[in-house]
Amino acid sequence: MATRTTRRTKFLLSEEEMPQAWYNIVADLPVPPAPVLHPGTGEPIGPGDLAPLFPMELIKQVVSQERYIEIPDEVREVYALYRPSPLFRAHRLEKALGTPAHIYYKYEGGSPSGSHKPNTAIPQAFYNKQAGVTRLATETGAGQWGSALAFAGAAFGLDVKVYMVRASYDQKPYRRILMETYGAQVVASPSPDTQYGRSVLAGNPGHTGSLGLAISEAIEDAVTHPGSKYSLGSVFDFVLLHQTVIGEESIAQMAMAGEEPDVIIGCAGGGSNFAGLTFPWLGRSFRDGKKYRVIAAEPEAAPSLTRGVYTYDFGDTAMMTPLIKMHTLGSSFIPEPIHAGGLRYHGMSPLVSLLKEHGYIDAVAVHQRASFGAGVQFARTEGILPAPEPTHALKVAIDEALAAKEAGEARVILFNLCGHGNFDLSAYEKYLDGTLEDYEYPAEKVQEALAALPRR
Ligand SMILES: Cc1ncc(COP(=O)(O)O)c(C=O)c1O
């Protein structure tokens, strides 16, 4: 029989090869992170200030200087339902683009809830359960995070209450039903269930909500219900830490493919998926001097990294969080109701912001029509329907591949396809029937919000 040469499409690790530890970039940062400040005193906060919100094991991870933090066995057991996740070579997309570039994507949409979010929902539920917490309150923008925490709550026997941004609640009823199927209680935010929600609704009963606003409601809920803590799906250091399991796996898988990426791309809302893929690679470059071009893709309608100011601001709209140094559009800024609900956030994780400010990473803003166009091209070539958020990274990856074609270079591109879009069909329908609109950068609204930044 004639021998066949087969090209590899998937690079798969066995369950035994799942990472044993998360990677803590703080150990390798060339510049020290800015302290988180107490809004009343202006002084750096200590672990005690965070104790009403989070269990001590998570707080310890925020202050840890260790390069690697062991993943508990109980967490690895639930991770094993979907990890290690596959790395794909996008041969069919490359062919359609006619590019000499090699495009690889890590696919996180195969998790039970459909995105990278369980990578942190599972450890957060585990550490809370271990600390005797019985109930978690959280917000969700796209519904992906709420679904992940609802699943993790079911896995560890915790009650979960989700404040779902009104725009998303209306766009994605099936996400709500998924969360309820896992056993969570879901309410549209702004909601009548919190004092802050009631005050917002009194001023504007039709408010479309925002992530910053839903965070305020979830925090108020957690601190006013005994046995409850707050859980969040992005921005905070421990969330980014848990996501590094993605990048750690991708390093082993790119080695299986026998390639090194030239360009590494992730979409960024609060920064956790971006950090999850890129931080282990950035760590290598800080330690060994290897150079990668690392790009965060964000929406034009909420372009915190490309147009925001690097300063101290609140993480939420009601100004309940500590002050964090980040790229921000102003915590009172409410982005337009784009379909990438997970990217509708006024700020950016402080670690990602620090890296951008010091020139270690780049950022690009993308309009939603262009990113949905990339999503459709991907579905027609690779078969997977991407979530609206990673279509931003995909668009940047396609542009890179086309630039490589123009330059006649076989660049190696790696991006994270951090979720599927099977619950986002109403957005795809709008794209396909031509009614999906772009929102221009809302300069005036941002100026207003920036004028209200906290004074220090
Ligand atoms: C699929 C998906 N990607 C990206 C994001 C953005 O969050 P982050 O920047 O923390 O990854 C979200 C948030 O909900 C999401 O659901």
Side-chain angles (χ1 to χ4, degrees), residues 108-109 114-117 139-146 172 175 211 233-236 239-240 243 266-276 297 340-345 347-349 352 386-391 416-421 424:
E108 292 293 309
S115 76
H116 64 299
K117 297 287 181 182
E139 69 285 337
T140 193
Q144 290 270 23
W145 164 244
K172 299 191 215 185
R175 273 275 163 211
L211 261 179
S234 193
V235 183
F236 234 66
V239 181
L240 276 58
Q243 293 295 353
C267 68
S272 75
N273 138 74
F274 170 78
L343 308 185
R344 274 188 78 218
Y345 186 57
M348 184 53 63
S349 140
V352 174
E389 291 81 7
T391 60
N416 198 16
L417 186 59
C418 56
H420 69 66
D424 300 281

Side-chain angles (χ1 to χ4, degrees), residues 8 10-22 68 71 76 79-80 82-87 106 244-257:
R8 278 293 277 285
K10 293 193 294 303
F11 299 88
L12 303 173
L13 299 170
S14 71
E15 228 166 279
E16 291 69 36
E17 290 169 301
M18 190 195 304
Q20 307 270 351
W22 295 298
Y68 291 102
I71 306 176
R76 282 166 47 86
Y79 273 180
Y82 65 99
R83 302 218 72 84
S85 72
L87 176 81
K106 185 82 171 139
T244 58
V245 69
I246 304 171
E248 287 291 318
E249 285 178 5
S250 76
I251 287 176
Q253 288 163 310
M254 287 302 292
M256 286 170 86

